[in-house]
Amino acid sequence: MLSIRMTRMGSKKKPYFRLVVSEGRSALQSSFVENLGTYNPRMKPAKVEINRERVQYWLTKGAKPSDSVRTLLAKHLTRDLSVVADAAADKSAAPAQ
């Protein structure tokens, strides 16, 4: 199962995160499938750069965001994710032929 999560970059006491798609059972700092963006909490206000189209693509493919990523996306991409959630719900509710 794929997951969208943050991997820590940066040096000691200067965290910087990448949002990545990776296999759910792999280690946090291991290889990943795709880099979706960055999050820098040290800037005021925090700097978030996310490729919205790719996040939507991976969510429709069944990737599950981690709790911290879900919170981050809710704060910065609320309108776009509601459209994706509705599309995913419609897709799962449609009868298979």
Side-chain angles (χ1 to χ4, degrees):
M1 178 175 111
L2 293 174
S3 65
I4 301 173
R5 58 186 176 194
M6 291 194 284
T7 183
R8 189 180 193 277
M9 307 299 285
S11 61
K12 184 176 178 182
K13 297 188 179 182
K14 295 179 183 176
Y16 180 82
F17 299 93
R18 282 187 186 165
L19 271 71
V20 297
V21 176
S22 62
E23 181 61 36
R25 289 180 246 161
S26 64
L28 291 176
Q29 300 297 324
S30 65
S31 63
F32 53 88
V33 177
E34 184 176 355
N35 184 4
L36 300 177
T38 60
Y39 169 58
N40 188 352
R42 294 182 47 89
M43 297 185 80
K44 300 296 181 201
K47 185 177 179 183
V48 178
E49 294 179 359
I50 300 173
N51 187 339
R52 297 171 186 213
E53 292 136 9
R54 295 307 292 172
V55 169
Q56 290 177 353
Y57 170 80
W58 285 109
L59 288 174
T60 57
K61 292 293 182 183
K64 302 287 184 191
S66 67
D67 292 338
S68 56
V69 171
R70 191 177 312 117
T71 303
L72 186 67
L73 294 176
K75 287 182 180 179
H76 296 281
L77 300 177
T78 306
R79 281 182 261 146
D80 293 338
L81 289 180
S82 63
V83 172
V84 171
D86 293 340
D90 291 341
K91 187 177 180 182
S92 64
Q97 293 181 356

